[in-house]
Amino acid sequence: DTAPTGHTLRLLAFPEFLDNLLGKVVALKARLLAAIGLLKGVLGGNDPTDKIEAAVARLQRWRDRVASLRELLTDEDVTDFVVVGIPSRLAVAECARLLSALADQGVPVSHLIVNQVVDGASSTAYLDRIRAEQGRELKRLDGSSPLGELSLSRLPFFDLEMRGVFPLQYVASQAFRGTNADAWEDLLADQKDRFVLVGGKGGVGKTTTSASLAVQFATDGHSTLLVSTDPAHSLGDALETDLSSGEVVRVEGVAGASLYACEVKVDDAVAEFKRLVGGVSSDEGGA
């Protein structure tokens, strides 16, 4: 369950940014050590070489982890990105931009979920206008745009919030079973470890989609960890489970395999990275 589109694209670009940053730090190390060699006589016993080597080694370990993350995000055998939207012009346009950006970064995408589709059961003028607008945008999704190449799953507009395991199981039955079953069969039946990301414009139902997909995975016998990287967390609300600790919590009420969930404390993760970089800066400052 990712943050809205712009935040998610920055998150996915982070491995490349960090790799470039660490490459510059490693290159700087060589220049620092060369300068220290020239100044050893002046420094006397205060040789900071070991501190610099240790700091750069810590960063190199981060660089290795980031390289593994980049490989994971672009490996179509283990990673899927599910684009989520609603049938409105702004949301469809943002879905198209997201798909283009993911393609540029090499992230595999094969599914598109469209939420809040109004069916023809009601005849009020207001809903008629909504259906007409949605119909135009759904034609765009079914047409010749790159979004038309994805497996499209349509979900109806629910007249109440779908919160808790049992309502999410119903959402899953509409999204991943029935008329949509063929589109999701390979992913749900795959016995390998999978890494599935769900993203899209704010307010289109990403959290409900990711939570219902996780419930379906667990119901089908896959031990599943559902993680929210959105700073404005609502995953715990959707699951009706307290995730405020930032720790991994088991979600009760799912028949099949185990379902766990976690809301990443983004501020804490950023602070940890700043401490790492700040520690390197302090070591270099001592030189």
Side-chain angles (χ1 to χ4, degrees), residues 29-206:
K29 181 197 76 169
R31 293 199 295 270
L32 285 171
L33 293 180
I36 290 169
L38 295 174
L39 295 173
K40 274 188 176 179
V42 177
L43 295 171
N46 297 321
D47 186 350
T49 301
D50 291 342
K51 289 184 177 180
I52 294 175
E53 293 280 9
V56 172
R58 291 198 300 272
L59 283 176
Q60 186 59 53
R61 288 193 292 272
W62 262 76
R63 192 180 192 183
D64 293 340
R65 292 173 62 190
V66 166
S68 298
L69 175 60
R70 176 186 292 171
E71 292 177 5
L72 175 67
L73 291 174
T74 56
D75 186 348
E76 63 181 11
D77 289 332
V78 297
T79 297
D80 290 273
F81 196 107
V82 179
V83 178
V84 182
I86 58 175
S88 71
R89 177 160 297 186
L90 292 177
V92 169
E94 187 153 330
C95 285
R97 289 193 297 271
L98 175 58
L99 178 61
S100 176
L102 292 171
D104 290 342
Q105 295 186 34
V107 178
V109 187
S110 55
H111 291 92
L112 169 65
I113 289 187
V114 180
N115 289 315
Q116 301 179 22
V117 178
V118 176
D119 61 24
S122 176
S123 60
T124 65
Y126 171 72
L127 291 181
D128 285 344
R129 288 194 297 272
I130 293 178
R131 279 197 300 272
E133 171 65 18
Q134 290 189 351
R136 287 191 291 270
E137 299 309 316
L138 288 169
K139 285 182 180 178
R140 291 178 61 192
L141 296 176
D142 290 332
S144 59
S145 76
L147 290 171
E149 299 177 5
L150 304 180
S151 296
L152 174 62
S153 301
R154 304 186 187 192
L155 268 75
F157 183 88
F158 299 111
D159 58 1
L160 47 81
E161 287 188 331
M162 308 304 280
R163 294 180 288 106
V165 168
F166 295 114
L168 290 171
Q169 286 175 334
Y170 178 74
V171 175
S173 72
Q174 301 296 301
F176 315 118
R177 296 304 185 196
T179 58
N180 296 323
D182 289 345
W184 296 92
E185 181 179 3
D186 290 343
L187 180 60
L188 291 169
D190 195 342
Q191 297 301 311
K192 301 191 302 290
D193 290 341
R194 302 292 301 191
F195 185 60
V196 181
L197 298 94
V198 177
K201 182 178 173 63
V204 298
K206 296 184 302 298

